[in-house]
Amino acid sequence: MLHDTDANVQAMSMTVLSSVLALIEHFPPSDAQVFPQYIFKKVSHLINDPALIVRVAFTESIAILAETALRFLDICHAIKLYETVEEGPVEEETILSRHFQREEKTDHYSSVNTTTALIHNDYDKYLLELQEIVARWVISITTDISNYALPLKQALLKDITRLCHFFGAFDVCTLTSLWCINHTTCTQCPVAEIFSE
Protein backbone atom coordinates (compact mmCIF):
# COMPACT_ATOMS: atom_id res chain seq x y z
CA MET A 1 0.00 0.00 0.00
CA LEU A 2 2.98 2.30 0.46
CA HIS A 3 3.60 1.86 -3.29
CA ASP A 4 -0.05 2.26 -4.33
CA THR A 5 -0.78 4.42 -7.38
CA ASP A 6 -3.39 6.39 -5.40
CA ALA A 7 -1.73 9.13 -3.32
CA ASN A 8 -4.52 9.06 -0.72
CA VAL A 9 -3.94 5.35 -0.11
CA GLN A 10 -0.19 5.92 0.26
CA ALA A 11 -0.71 8.80 2.69
CA MET A 12 -3.20 6.89 4.81
CA SER A 13 -0.97 3.80 4.79
CA MET A 14 1.92 5.84 6.15
CA THR A 15 -0.23 7.36 8.90
CA VAL A 16 -1.71 4.00 9.91
CA LEU A 17 1.68 2.26 9.84
CA SER A 18 3.29 4.78 12.19
CA SER A 19 0.29 4.70 14.54
CA VAL A 20 0.15 0.90 14.68
CA LEU A 21 3.90 0.58 15.28
CA ALA A 22 3.61 3.04 18.17
CA LEU A 23 1.03 0.75 19.81
CA ILE A 24 3.30 -2.31 19.91
CA GLU A 25 4.29 -3.08 23.49
CA HIS A 26 5.70 -6.61 23.42
CA PHE A 27 8.34 -7.83 21.02
CA PRO A 28 11.43 -10.03 21.12
CA PRO A 29 14.85 -8.42 21.60
CA SER A 30 15.77 -9.58 18.09
CA ASP A 31 13.41 -6.90 16.74
CA ALA A 32 15.62 -4.05 17.99
CA GLN A 33 16.93 -3.48 14.47
CA VAL A 34 13.61 -3.83 12.64
CA PHE A 35 13.44 -0.06 12.07
CA PRO A 36 16.80 0.68 10.41
CA GLN A 37 16.97 -2.66 8.63
CA TYR A 38 13.40 -2.90 7.37
CA ILE A 39 10.80 -0.24 8.20
CA PHE A 40 12.88 2.86 7.44
CA LYS A 41 13.96 1.33 4.14
CA LYS A 42 10.35 0.58 3.18
CA VAL A 43 9.10 4.13 3.84
CA SER A 44 12.07 6.30 2.85
CA HIS A 45 10.97 6.63 -0.79
CA LEU A 46 7.90 8.61 0.36
CA ILE A 47 10.03 11.66 1.17
CA ASN A 48 10.46 12.24 -2.57
CA ASP A 49 6.98 11.21 -3.66
CA PRO A 50 5.52 13.52 -6.33
CA ALA A 51 2.25 13.91 -4.39
CA LEU A 52 2.36 16.56 -1.66
CA ILE A 53 -0.23 14.72 0.46
CA VAL A 54 2.09 11.70 0.63
CA ARG A 55 5.12 13.80 1.57
CA VAL A 56 3.12 15.59 4.29
CA ALA A 57 1.89 12.25 5.71
CA PHE A 58 5.45 10.96 5.73
CA THR A 59 6.74 14.13 7.40
CA GLU A 60 4.02 13.98 10.06
CA SER A 61 5.04 10.38 10.79
CA ILE A 62 8.78 10.98 11.14
CA ALA A 63 8.67 11.91 14.84
CA ILE A 64 6.41 8.97 15.75
CA LEU A 65 8.59 6.53 13.82
CA ALA A 66 11.74 7.93 15.43
CA GLU A 67 10.25 7.77 18.92
CA THR A 68 9.03 4.20 18.38
CA ALA A 69 12.38 3.10 16.96
CA LEU A 70 14.12 4.58 20.00
CA ARG A 71 11.68 2.79 22.33
CA PHE A 72 12.39 -0.53 20.60
CA LEU A 73 16.12 0.06 20.95
CA ASP A 74 15.85 1.14 24.61
CA ILE A 75 13.75 -1.88 25.61
CA CYS A 76 16.00 -4.36 23.83
CA HIS A 77 19.06 -2.71 25.38
CA ALA A 78 17.51 -2.96 28.86
CA ILE A 79 16.66 -6.63 28.32
CA LYS A 80 20.23 -7.41 27.23
CA LEU A 81 21.66 -5.60 30.26
CA TYR A 82 19.28 -7.40 32.62
CA GLU A 83 20.14 -10.78 31.14
CA THR A 84 23.87 -10.03 31.40
CA VAL A 85 23.70 -8.94 35.04
CA GLU A 86 21.39 -11.79 36.07
CA GLU A 87 23.80 -14.45 34.79
CA GLY A 88 25.90 -15.44 37.74
CA PRO A 89 27.99 -18.35 38.92
CA VAL A 90 26.12 -21.22 40.48
CA GLU A 91 26.33 -21.08 44.28
CA GLU A 92 28.00 -24.15 45.81
CA GLU A 93 27.86 -25.01 49.49
CA THR A 94 31.15 -26.73 50.08
CA ILE A 95 34.03 -24.88 51.72
CA LEU A 96 36.47 -26.04 49.10
CA SER A 97 34.35 -24.75 46.27
CA ARG A 98 33.86 -21.36 47.98
CA HIS A 99 37.51 -20.58 47.44
CA PHE A 100 37.20 -21.28 43.73
CA GLN A 101 33.87 -19.51 43.67
CA ARG A 102 35.49 -16.24 44.82
CA GLU A 103 37.89 -16.44 41.89
CA GLU A 104 35.05 -17.30 39.51
CA LYS A 105 32.98 -14.39 40.82
CA THR A 106 35.85 -12.01 40.18
CA ASP A 107 36.19 -13.38 36.67
CA HIS A 108 32.41 -13.28 36.21
CA TYR A 109 32.09 -9.66 37.31
CA SER A 110 34.95 -8.57 35.09
CA SER A 111 33.34 -10.42 32.17
CA VAL A 112 29.97 -8.83 33.05
CA ASN A 113 31.60 -5.39 33.04
CA THR A 114 33.22 -6.15 29.69
CA THR A 115 29.96 -7.48 28.27
CA THR A 116 28.05 -4.48 29.64
CA ALA A 117 30.56 -2.14 27.99
CA LEU A 118 30.10 -3.98 24.69
CA ILE A 119 26.31 -3.74 25.02
CA HIS A 120 26.62 0.02 25.66
CA ASN A 121 28.84 0.35 22.58
CA ASP A 122 26.27 -1.54 20.50
CA TYR A 123 23.52 0.70 21.83
CA ASP A 124 25.44 3.85 20.92
CA LYS A 125 26.20 2.48 17.47
CA TYR A 126 22.56 1.55 16.79
CA LEU A 127 21.28 4.85 18.18
CA LEU A 128 23.66 6.77 15.94
CA GLU A 129 22.45 4.74 12.97
CA LEU A 130 18.82 5.64 13.76
CA GLN A 131 19.68 9.30 14.29
CA GLU A 132 21.59 9.53 11.02
CA ILE A 133 18.66 8.15 9.02
CA VAL A 134 16.14 10.48 10.64
CA ALA A 135 18.54 13.44 10.43
CA ARG A 136 18.84 12.94 6.66
CA TRP A 137 15.05 13.16 6.40
CA VAL A 138 14.86 16.24 8.64
CA ILE A 139 17.65 18.03 6.78
CA SER A 140 16.08 17.18 3.43
CA ILE A 141 12.79 18.73 4.55
CA THR A 142 14.24 21.77 6.31
CA THR A 143 16.55 22.72 3.46
CA ASP A 144 13.92 22.26 0.73
CA ILE A 145 13.35 25.57 -1.10
CA SER A 146 10.64 24.41 -3.49
CA ASN A 147 7.24 26.11 -3.69
CA TYR A 148 5.62 23.24 -1.74
CA ALA A 149 8.13 23.06 1.10
CA LEU A 150 6.20 25.13 3.66
CA PRO A 151 3.52 22.49 4.52
CA LEU A 152 6.28 19.92 5.04
CA LYS A 153 8.20 22.18 7.39
CA GLN A 154 5.06 23.00 9.35
CA ALA A 155 4.24 19.28 9.59
CA LEU A 156 7.73 18.58 10.90
CA LEU A 157 7.48 21.29 13.56
CA LYS A 158 4.17 19.95 14.89
CA ASP A 159 6.04 17.14 16.63
CA ILE A 160 9.29 18.92 17.42
CA THR A 161 9.23 17.82 21.07
CA ARG A 162 9.36 14.14 20.03
CA LEU A 163 12.28 14.91 17.75
CA CYS A 164 14.00 16.76 20.60
CA HIS A 165 13.68 13.64 22.73
CA PHE A 166 14.93 11.43 19.92
CA PHE A 167 17.95 13.50 18.92
CA GLY A 168 18.73 15.16 22.21
CA ALA A 169 18.42 18.89 22.74
CA PHE A 170 21.59 20.01 20.98
CA ASP A 171 21.03 18.22 17.69
CA VAL A 172 17.39 19.20 17.26
CA CYS A 173 18.01 22.79 18.29
CA THR A 174 20.81 22.96 15.77
CA LEU A 175 18.58 21.57 13.02
CA THR A 176 15.66 23.78 14.00
CA SER A 177 17.83 26.89 14.30
CA LEU A 178 19.19 26.27 10.81
CA TRP A 179 15.66 26.17 9.49
CA CYS A 180 14.60 29.25 11.51
CA ILE A 181 17.50 31.31 10.17
CA ASN A 182 16.64 30.44 6.58
CA HIS A 183 12.85 30.80 6.85
CA THR A 184 10.87 33.62 8.42
CA THR A 185 7.68 31.56 8.60
CA CYS A 186 8.92 29.48 11.52
CA THR A 187 6.26 30.18 14.14
CA GLN A 188 6.99 27.27 16.48
CA CYS A 189 10.73 27.78 17.11
CA PRO A 190 10.29 28.77 20.78
CA VAL A 191 9.54 25.11 21.51
CA ALA A 192 13.11 24.22 20.53
CA GLU A 193 14.50 27.01 22.74
CA ILE A 194 13.00 25.31 25.81
CA PHE A 195 15.20 22.27 25.21
CA SER A 196 18.36 24.31 24.71
CA GLU A 197 18.19 25.93 28.16
Side-chain angles (χ1 to χ4, degrees):
M1 296 186 129
L2 292 170
H3 293 278
D4 200 279
T5 53
D6 187 335
N8 290 316
V9 172
Q10 281 184 293
M12 187 55 69
S13 298
M14 184 68 246
T15 303
V16 169
L17 175 65
S18 61
S19 298
V20 169
L21 288 170
L23 295 174
I24 296 173
E25 293 180 359
H26 304 287
F27 50 87
S30 58
D31 284 351
Q33 292 300 300
V34 73
F35 281 85
Q37 292 178 357
Y38 183 75
I39 294 170
F40 286 173
K41 290 178 181 178
K42 293 294 182 184
V43 301
S44 62
H45 70 281
L46 298 176
I47 197 167
N48 297 316
D49 196 271
L52 181 61
I53 188 173
V54 175
R55 293 197 313 271
V56 168
F58 175 77
T59 303
E60 288 175 341
S61 299
I62 288 175
I64 298 170
L65 287 174
E67 182 181 64
T68 306
L70 180 62
R71 183 170 56 85
F72 269 56
L73 182 61
D74 285 346
I75 289 172
C76 292
H77 176 67
I79 290 170
K80 284 181 184 177
L81 283 176
Y82 178 78
E83 288 173 351
T84 301
V85 171
E86 284 299 304
E87 286 180 13
V90 178
E91 296 290 331
E92 297 181 15
E93 296 300 323
T94 63
I95 295 174
L96 181 61
S97 66
R98 285 186 182 170
H99 171 70
F100 294 112
Q101 189 177 1
R102 279 190 217 112
E103 293 177 7
E104 287 174 9
K105 278 188 178 181
T106 304
D107 291 342
H108 170 71
Y109 291 130
S110 66
S111 73
V112 167
N113 289 338
T114 304
T115 306
T116 304
L118 290 174
I119 291 172
H120 281 298
N121 288 343
D122 283 348
Y123 176 84
D124 293 340
K125 181 180 78 172
Y126 295 142
L127 178 59
L128 183 61
E129 183 183 0
L130 290 176
Q131 289 176 332
E132 284 176 352
I133 294 168
V134 176
R136 279 196 299 270
W137 294 340
V138 170
I139 290 169
S140 175
I141 291 165
T142 56
T143 58
D144 185 359
I145 56 170
S146 69
N147 293 336
Y148 302 105
L150 183 60
L152 300 175
K153 293 169 184 174
Q154 290 172 336
L156 189 66
L157 288 174
K158 284 180 185 176
D159 251 347
I160 195 70
T161 52
R162 282 184 172 156
L163 287 173
C164 284
H165 177 257
F166 175 75
F167 282 114
F170 176 76
D171 292 329
V172 168
C173 289
T174 302
L175 292 172
T176 308
S177 298
L178 172 67
W179 187 80
C180 289
I181 290 167
N182 293 325
H183 302 280
T184 57
T185 55
C186 181
T187 58
Q188 298 182 29
C189 279
V191 174
E193 291 173 12
I194 293 169
F195 289 94
S196 63
E197 293 176 354

